[in-house]
Structure formats: structure tokens, C-alpha cells
Amino acid sequence: MSQIVTPFPLRRARRTRRTEWMREMVREHRLSTRDLIWPIFIRDGENVTEPVDALPGVSRLSIDQAVLAAEEAAALEIPCLALFPYTDPALKTPEAEEAWNPDNLVNRATRAIKAAVPDIGIMLDVALDPYNSDGHDGIVRDGEVLNDETLLALEKQALAQADAGADILGPSDMMDGRIGVIRQALERNDFGQTAIMSYSAKYASAFYGPFRDAVGASGALKGDKKGYQMDPGNGAEALREVAHDLSEGADMVMVKPGMPYLDICQRVKAEFGVPTFAYQVSGEYAMIRAAAQNGWIDGDAAMMESLTAFKRAGCDGILSYFAPRVARILLDEPLDD
Ligand code: PBG
């Protein structure tokens, strides 16, 4: 007996893929300008826009130019900027005192931006690497990155940043216990409303290279950061890090880098359900830009695809150097190039 085989597939997934309106109608995840945090590098001077070699399209900005960037962000409906300093090497010391100078670059920039564009959010990194002559996130003595001594420095740094008007503090140093110390200090000093987005699952990654150039820390860095940043082979440990940080008072958590760690983003969101962010770091940005510049990929398409992937993995938002370009595309605004 011959078997009757239906000549037609009963399910046709392609029906909902035929037209753009249908694809949009059934799309599960979409990117919005409201999901974006735009990292900006600040340097001294006036009217300075200094391109960063390894980050095509990204520049170090003097504070007046950063204020213009904040105005641009507001016009593009980007809710928040993350400011990073390019610190004069002469100000770097073994104890990183410049980190808690109320008038350091990021604190001055925060005040200037808040005065000009009050509704834009400002996030500041809590870590010593831009200020430390050893290039490490913590205080180094006898070749050792000291945990508890570093906590005292981070507490001072965090308080100076909150006082400057930062809305979100992003401890990116990976010292143990830092979220608890910073949260307690904020509460004790009338900064109970300052939010903490912890760099909870921050990996010891090769993808930070261009950033370290941008903040001038790569020349200074002695050794590597494997003694405090996470091992790329670990997944369950990221969940423990997030649990610690939440129990110590973090409001939001971050996974970093982004694209190679989408599995971690998904597990964190599924396990804790808290606001979860990913940092699409400098090396990820540089790879996409470099391949596009060589004509090997369509850069804008790869950018949108990579950022949509974060939403699909469960992220609420993304820190990305692409932020202004993505926002222009999402809002149908003209691009500079
Ligand atoms: C510093 C810090 C780093 C980044 C953000 N904060 C670098 C590092 O840990 O060495 C990397 C961001 C990027 O690569 O875009 N604590």
C-alpha cells in the first residue's frame, strides 16, 4: 500500500514574513531610544573634540562639548549618559585621590550638564582606574589589588559623585562588598535617592582595549584584571554576583561585555527579574565599525541586529557607543555620514 503524502506544508512560517508591515506586526522585541545609555569620554579644555583612534566616530569631549552632546541626547530621546574621564597623567597617583576630588572632570561635567539639561540622566563609573597610576580599578600595594582599602576610596568617590548630581552610580571595580559600602554611605549622607547600577557580572575581557586607550589607562595598566574581574568560563558565578549585589542594595544590574555574554543576560533576567542592562563595550563597537569600514559588513544593519539581540536576551537597556546613531535611525533623523 502506498502512503499518501500531502504535497503541501501545513505550517508556513513564511506567511508572517512576507511583508514589512506583517513582520513588524508580529515582532517580539524592539529597540527604542529609551533603552539606550550613551557613554561619553570627557577631557580637559574648551571647544575640544578629539577623536579616539580605536573607536571610529567617538571623541573625547571638553565639558562644553559634552553639554552639547547632552542636548543632542535629549533631542534624540536618549534618557541617560555615562561619563568617563580622560585624566591628565600628572593627576594619577598610587592612591587615586583625584577619584574623590569634587572638582574632577566627571564631577564638573555632571554639574555643567545638569545645569544645562536638567532632565537628562547622568551615570558615573565608580572605580579607580582612570585615576590610579597603576591603571587598576583598586589600590595596589606590593603588586596586590587590595579589596578593603579600595572600598574606603570607592566610598569617597561615590559620595563626591552623588554630591555632583549623578543619578546613577555604576560601580565597575568588582571589589567584594562594594555595593553594600556605597549604599550605606549614600543613605547616611542624604543621598538615599541615588540609584546604583552594579557592574555585577563584569568579565576579565579582551574587548575593553579601545576603552582603556580612550581613558588613557592602557599604558598605565600593570598586569591584568583577572584577580577581580570574572573568568569568561563561568556562568553560575555571575548569578551569585548578581545575588550579592542585590542583597547589598543594587537597584539595577549589568552584564559586561554584551554580545559574547548574552547567555548571562538571559539567565540573570530569568532568575532575578530585576532591571538588567548590558554594556556593548568598546571592542564590540570597534569590531563592527572596522568590518563596516572595510566594506565587509553593512555596519548599520549589524548595529541594529546586535542591539535588538540584547532586547531578545531580556535586557531592559544597553550601554552602547552606537546610541546617538541608533537613535537617529529609530527616529528617522538624518545621519552625519
Ligand atoms: C573601568 C571600566 C572599563 C570599562 C568600563 N569601566 C574598563 C576596564 O574594566 O578595564 C570598559 C568599557 C568598554 O570597553 O567600553 N572600570
Side-chain angles (χ1 to χ4, degrees), residues 39 41 55 84 125-130 135-137 170-174 199 202-203 205 207-212 215 217 221 225 228-229 256-257 279-285 321:
F41 299 104
L55 292 173
F84 296 94
D125 228 49
V126 188
L128 303 182
D129 53 323
H136 276 289
D137 293 18
S172 75
D173 53 283
M174 291 300 277
Y199 286 70
K202 178 169 177 180
Y203 286 86
S205 173
F207 290 99
Y208 306 149
F211 172 97
R212 292 179 189 166
V215 300
L221 181 61
K225 299 190 177 186
Y228 45 104
Q229 298 180 346
K256 178 185 174 195
Y279 197 143
Q280 183 181 49
V281 299
S282 56
E284 302 177 61
Y285 172 92
Y321 303 97

